[in-house]
């Protein structure tokens, strides 16, 4: 590729030299000289004199004027042609053109990128061994960029390749390009939908990207792995992390405890897992204290909600709305919570702090209804696609009411 670049530069330089020199030379060949024009006009005057059309005196006067014109044209031609016939003048122009082109390309050209591109293609197998097998020196950021360049070139030339897309996704995830990494893993999964390493890497990228929708997708990918490989350590760890990011500390604690039981005592990951467990236990204790304080301050409703797997799978982008309203009273909820859509058992506690407006909370009604709704639109306005379950009327005979509901189609 580089030799083609140099050949093109030389061709452009040659064309520049031709354009500099050719117009002057062509002008000299295609036009008559002043001497030829003088001789031709003088002959015409002599013919006119011999034919009796021009007197001798008039002939002498016209010949003198023609001679004067010839001398003036000759001097002008000499002044005009003097620099053209100097090879040094042309050579200077060509060299000046070459210097300008060279300086311009050195500042704005892409020859370095072309060199990197050729180097990346030539070393693609070596990059792959270093990335996958850990052979040689660890790959730095520049090596990762060259590796991604080589993989993109391979995909552009040879078409879709599941392994190449997976490797490209891992490289981009390492470089912090999470959206590009997710797209690469999705392309790989289209070709190999059940491959465990791709599902694990895809889930990791989604968790790092964050957001309720991405966490839901990550949970679905991890669930596919656990259905085939219930003992997969990476999948259990990711499931715990997803639950933790969603705020489901109970499920996160259960998953990390399961992971701690599976890991060997000398496994360095065990220390991190124990730290997570201790953190969640401390958070649970603090929540218990806060819950006790809340109960002292006012009423609360504790709901155990079972969401069916089919419903969650059919509407992954929906949200869960859990709220309490006065039975037979205004439609404005006494307390409400908005949760991301997820399957399984959810423990939801509604207190006076979850009121929608001041002065209208759980302390304002004695007979209530608890509603759990899957909202496809994500708003409190119910649509035809929404699914909800409503409890029987409940009376506050105690400060804390407890009940269980199941949300399914």
């Amino acid at each position: 590729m580089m030799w083609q670049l140099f050949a093109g530069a030389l061709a452009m330089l040659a064309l520049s030299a031709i354009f500099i020199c050719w117009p002057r030379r062509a002008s000299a060949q295609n036009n008559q000289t002043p001497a030829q024009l003088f001789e031709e006009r003088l002959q015409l005057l002599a013919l006119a004199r011999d034919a009796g059309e021009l007197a001798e005196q008039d002939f002498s006067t016209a010949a003198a004027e023609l001679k004067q014109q010839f001398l003036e044209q000759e001097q002008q031609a000499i002044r005009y042609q003097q620099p053209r016939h100097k090879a040094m003048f042309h050579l200077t122009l060509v060299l000046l053109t070459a210097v300008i082109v060279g300086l311009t390309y050195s500042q704005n050209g892409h020859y370095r990128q072309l060199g990197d591109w050729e180097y990346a293609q030539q070393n693609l197998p070596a990059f792959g061994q270093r990335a996958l097998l850990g052979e040689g020196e660890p790959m730095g950021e520049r090596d990762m960029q060259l590796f991604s360049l080589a993989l993109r070139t391979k995909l552009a030339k040879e078409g879709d390749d599941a392994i190449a897309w997976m490797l490209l996704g891992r490289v981009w995830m390492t470089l912090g390009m999470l959206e590009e990494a997710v797209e690469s893993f999705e392309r790989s999964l289209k070709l190999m939908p059940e491959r465990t390493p791709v599902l694990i890497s895809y889930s990791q990228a989604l968790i790092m990207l964050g957001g309720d929708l991405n966490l839901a997708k990550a949970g679905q990918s991890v669930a596919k792995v656990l259905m085939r490989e219930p003992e997969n350590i990476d999948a259990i760890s990711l499931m715990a992390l997803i639950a933790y990011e969603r705020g489901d500390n109970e499920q996160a604690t259960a998953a990390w405890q399961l992971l701690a039981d599976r890991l060997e005592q000398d496994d360095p990951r065990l220390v991190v897992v124990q730290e997570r467990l201790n953190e969640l236990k401390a958070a649970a204790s603090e929540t218990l204290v806060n819950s006790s304080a809340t109960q002292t301050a006012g009423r609360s409703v504790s709901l155990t909600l079972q969401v069916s797997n089919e419903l969650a799978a059919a509407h992954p982008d929906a949200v869960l709305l859990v709220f309490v309203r006065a039975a037979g009273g205004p439609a404005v909820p006494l307390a409400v919570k908005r949760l991301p859509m997820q399957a399984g058992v959810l423990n939801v506690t509604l207190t006076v702090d979850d009121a929608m407006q001041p002065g209208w909370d759980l302390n304002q009604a004695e007979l209530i209804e608890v509603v759990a709704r899957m909202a496809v639109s994500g708003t409190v306005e119910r649509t035809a696609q929404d699914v909800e379950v409503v409890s029987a009327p409940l009376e506050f005979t105690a400060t804390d009411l407890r009940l269980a509901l199941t949300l399914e189609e």
Side-chain angles (χ1 to χ4, degrees), residues 59-74:
F59 170 79
S60 300
T61 303
E65 292 179 357
L66 184 61
K67 183 178 180 180
Q68 182 64 30
Q69 292 176 1
F70 164 73
L71 293 176
E72 292 177 356
Q73 291 177 357
E74 187 69 20

Side-chain angles (χ1 to χ4, degrees), residues 163-176:
I163 301 299
W165 280 120
M166 180 187 70
L167 292 176
L168 184 59
R170 288 181 177 178
V171 170
W172 273 338
M173 187 165 61
T174 302
L175 294 174

Side-chain angles (χ1 to χ4, degrees), residues 28-68:
Q29 292 176 353
N30 296 331
N31 298 324
Q32 289 179 305
T33 64
Q36 292 172 337
L37 290 173
F38 173 74
E39 183 179 357
E40 181 181 352
R41 292 173 182 175
L42 186 60
Q43 290 177 356
L44 292 174
L45 289 175
L47 290 174
R49 181 196 61 186
D50 295 342
E53 299 176 358
L54 189 65
E56 184 68 31
Q57 184 178 0
D58 293 335
F59 170 79
S60 300
T61 303
E65 292 179 357
L66 184 61
K67 183 178 180 180
Q68 182 64 30

